[in-house]
Amino acid sequence: MSGSYSGQTVLVTGASRGIGLACARHFSGQGARVALVARSADRLEAVAAELGNGAVAIPADTADPADCARVIATVTERLGPIDVLVSNAGILRRDFIEDISVSDFEESYRTNVGGAVWLAKAAIPGMRERGRGAIVLVSSELGLIGAPSYGSYCMSKFALIGLAEVLSHELAGTGVRVAVVCPGNVRTDQLAEEYAWGLGAGAPPEKALAPEAVAATIAAAAEGGPLVVLADKPALKLGFDAMFAMPRRLRLMIIRDAYKALLKDRRARLGA
């Protein structure tokens, strides 16, 4: 099928499930040659077989800088220069700041932030030389607000907003576009696991945004537009925008109220 990405090479990380899988399907449906990157070789091969011609599975751990460099080199060799890089791979763990371990913190940052950094570093020289390309980072609405019990996740997703802003300055005038997409709750296995952990806020899995809608937003962001893009249902986007128009102290009160049951349970468990 031809489309707006016909003949282009698109690299998607975290492509074996969830938002990444939806992105792979979307870009492939738009005519792109899609490089699929994730740690699970079996899942990637199944996705590549589903998508057919032009899809290549490249198992890799994007938390490893050497793996990231290998991925960019392999994609360029097998599919040609990278037109769009979608850094979506990430992990979500629920944790209070008092409970974060060193290993958990490092894994979250190396996966959620490090992979995006190392892939961009390896892809940018080619994009800069050609004078075109797009880098889309997948953050979260929890990269814009701090929420209790999402310590390591919020910190790493906030970092992606900063990374996108830095890249937007460094790549200004080069022809390379940069965007960071911030989805709300998305109907994925990860969200189901998140809710199984315990009390939370936002739309439950059965009412959450479809990953296909986020994939469409990511593809549109790669074509140009705002640096920071919210991906959520229209009513929730309006509410989020309204909340950010408020003074910070009011925004913090709203967020705290949304998690009051969780915080009350936490205090009870600690005997406070």
Side-chain angles (χ1 to χ4, degrees):
M1 181 186 295
S2 62
S4 59
Y5 285 93
S6 182
Q8 295 191 41
T9 297
V10 179
L11 191 166
V12 180
T13 68
S16 62
R17 62 177 187 165
I19 294 172
L21 175 56
C23 282
R25 288 169 172 163
H26 184 92
F27 281 107
S28 179
Q30 291 292 310
R33 300 180 295 269
V34 183
L36 310 162
V37 178
R39 287 181 291 186
S40 173
D42 291 343
R43 285 182 180 175
L44 284 185
E45 291 295 347
V47 176
E50 173 198 328
L51 298 182
N53 292 337
V56 174
I58 306 175
D61 181 0
T62 56
D64 182 347
D67 251 11
C68 289
R70 175 180 62 82
V71 163
I72 298 300
T74 302
V75 174
T76 302
E77 179 183 351
R78 297 182 64 178
L79 297 180
I82 297 166
D83 296 290
V84 180
L85 165 62
V86 179
S87 280
N88 164 74
I91 57 173
L92 185 157
R93 57 168 47 90
R94 298 284 297 274
D95 47 22
F96 291 92
I97 296 298
E98 293 169 276
D99 301 332
I100 298 176
S101 69
V102 172
S103 60
D104 286 349
F105 175 83
E106 291 183 346
E107 183 183 19
S108 292
Y109 251 82
R110 288 176 67 87
T111 303
N112 297 358
V113 185
V117 172
W118 307 129
L119 286 167
K121 179 180 179 180
I124 284 171
M127 291 182 175
R128 187 191 294 276
E129 182 179 351
R130 295 187 301 277
R132 59 183 174 84
I135 298 171
V136 183
L137 312 177
V138 181
S139 179
S140 167
E141 286 182 350
L142 290 178
L144 296 167
I145 61 171
S149 78
Y150 290 90
S152 55
Y153 186 73
C154 279
M155 287 187 285
S156 61
K157 291 299 185 176
F158 263 73
L160 289 176
I161 307 293
L163 173 59
E165 189 162 329
V166 170
L167 287 174
S168 74
H169 295 309
E170 295 184 355
L171 296 174
T174 65
V176 182
R177 299 180 297 278
V178 179
V180 56
V181 175
C182 301
N185 280 7
V186 183
R187 196 164 58 243
T188 62
D189 292 343
Q190 179 174 273
L191 182 62
E193 293 166 3
E194 177 185 347
Y195 264 71
W197 183 89
L199 298 167
E206 65 273 12
K207 295 183 179 180
L209 190 67
E212 291 77 15
V214 181
T217 299
I218 289 169
E223 294 178 351
L227 176 65
V228 180
V229 181
L230 288 180
D232 211 333
K233 295 182 178 181
L236 294 174
K237 284 182 66 176
L238 286 173
F240 209 87
D241 288 340
M243 188 171 65
F244 263 82
M246 299 175 182
R248 181 182 292 273
R249 62 182 182 82
L250 293 180
R251 185 165 75 245
L252 293 176
M253 288 172 62
I254 291 171
I255 296 167
R256 192 170 304 158
D257 186 64
Y259 288 89
K260 62 184 178 182
L262 171 73
L263 293 170
K264 181 179 179 181
D265 179 73
R266 171 71 170 175
R267 288 192 295 269
R269 289 174 182 272
L270 294 176

